[in-house]
Amino acid sequence: MTEKSFTEPADDSVRENLLRIRDTMAAACAAAGRPETDVSLLAVTKTVEPARINRALSLGVGQIGENRVQEFLGKRDALRLDGVGVHLIGHLQTNKVTQIVGLVDCIESIDSLRVARAVSDASLKIGRVTDVLVEVNIGREEAKSGVLEEELEPLLEQISSFSGIRVCGLMTVPPILETEREKRQVFSQMRQLFIDMRGKNINNINMSVLSMGMSSDYREAILEGATIIRVGSALFGRRNY
Ligand SMILES: *Cc1c(COP(=O)(O)O)cnc(C)c1O
């Protein structure tokens, strides 16, 4: 994004960006021989003000993703969330779990037995089952959350008995890579892991959602099998923290 787009009316840039993203999604689906209905766009709304988020929702964006519990709680009353899916995509601390369960449709960032248990318990307490994804640190990066590849199957086995959560698939934030080849390689590795886990047929573990791809690499993610792409800056413009 250039500086200029920020001085234009907010509504115009969100609309233009959305059209461009939808075009790119359609082209990537076509190139991969996948139906467009296979892939859904999750608008990442961290740091974005409610007016711009509502603009995206009015243009048909059906899902949003927020990173931080506190920020979402602060904005949520200003959002037109009727019929909109809300996903938590940032690292979730156990002590925040009760504040967020019941207010989101999916928690994409389950990365430990402890947080999975907390989400399950909090959900049961309010008579719900929460959809979750398990986050994988596919690039084995020190600074990133998510479980390592070899930790995934044991974790899935352990949480499969938690009746307050429904595991729907996997999520990842891969390393920042430059070339298309490198990007596709890491997404392909992720898809292979996803397929392997599906093949294990673990009780109560459903492997249907693969959340990967952000503003700089969602095209490659779609080519390699993503079912949800999480796009922030390409839709709303560069973030001002
Ligand atoms: C911020 C964020 C995104 C979106 O990043 P962009 O590069 O702005 O598209 C996606 N997923 C997660 C987990 C994020 O924190």
Side-chain angles (χ1 to χ4, degrees):
M1 293 303 302
T2 60
E3 282 299 333
K4 184 168 167 293
S5 62
F6 279 101
T7 60
E8 290 164 8
D11 287 1
D12 291 339
S13 68
V14 172
R15 183 171 179 279
E16 285 162 24
N17 293 341
L18 181 60
L19 290 173
R20 195 168 46 233
I21 292 164
R22 293 234 183 264
D23 277 351
T24 306
M25 288 175 71
C29 284
R34 305 178 60 193
E36 285 178 35
T37 50
D38 259 19
V39 186
S40 67
L41 171 66
L42 182 96
V44 174
T45 50
K46 63 178 176 230
T47 79
V48 180
E49 66 272 32
R52 283 168 79 71
I53 301 172
N54 285 332
R55 177 59 179 156
L57 299 177
S58 78
L59 293 166
V61 167
Q63 295 170 292
I64 65 166
E66 278 282 345
N67 286 63
R68 303 176 67 190
V69 171
Q70 234 52 50
E71 183 184 341
F72 175 61
L73 296 180
K75 287 198 294 206
R76 110 178 240 278
D77 286 344
L79 301 178
R80 293 192 210 105
L81 291 177
D82 249 8
V84 173
V86 179
H87 291 204
L88 186 76
I89 61 175
H91 179 70
L92 178 59
Q93 290 168 298
T94 336
N95 62 3
K96 297 271 169 64
V97 164
T98 54
Q99 296 176 50
I100 196 73
V101 162
L103 300 183
V104 292
D105 302 284
C106 179
I107 296 175
E108 296 201 9
S109 41
I110 296 295
D111 58 1
S112 70
L113 183 62
R114 212 166 102 91
V115 79
R117 180 179 285 124
V119 171
S120 179
D121 290 349
S123 303
L124 291 175
K125 214 166 265 171
I126 59 166
R128 273 183 64 130
V129 178
T130 302
D131 285 347
V132 302
L133 306 181
V134 174
E135 181 174 357
V136 178
N137 183 354
I138 195 72
R140 314 183 76 84
E141 293 170 280
E142 287 280 343
K144 279 209 176 122
S145 44
V147 299
L148 299 176
E149 233 174 302
E150 65 272 19
E151 297 168 340
L152 178 60
E153 189 184 349
L155 180 65
L156 291 173
E157 294 277 3
Q158 286 173 304
I159 68 181
S160 65
S161 61
F162 294 175
S163 50
I165 56 175
R166 189 184 300 111
V167 178
C168 304
L170 304 179
M171 182 270 245
T172 196
V173 182
I176 296 165
L177 296 167
E178 293 301 322
T179 68
E180 157 145 11
R181 215 176 79 96
E182 289 171 319
K183 290 174 186 177
R184 290 191 61 165
Q185 213 158 39
V186 71
F187 287 133
S188 156
Q189 188 186 343
M190 190 65 202
R191 184 190 42 188
Q192 195 52 55
L193 184 63
F194 175 74
I195 291 169
D196 289 348
M197 289 306 124
R198 187 157 59 199
K200 305 280 181 191
N201 287 317
I202 303 169
N203 257 337
N204 302 317
I205 301 286
N206 188 354
M207 279 287 143
S208 56
V209 176
L210 182 54
S211 173
M212 61 184 191
M214 319 200 318
S215 291
S216 59
D217 55 15
Y218 68 88
R219 187 182 151 272
E220 290 82 1
I222 292 171
L223 293 175
E224 297 299 340
T227 69
I228 294 180
I229 56 168
R230 307 179 309 270
V231 178
S233 47
L235 178 59
F236 295 112
R238 199 174 44 190
R239 281 180 291 275
N240 287 314
Y241 285 99

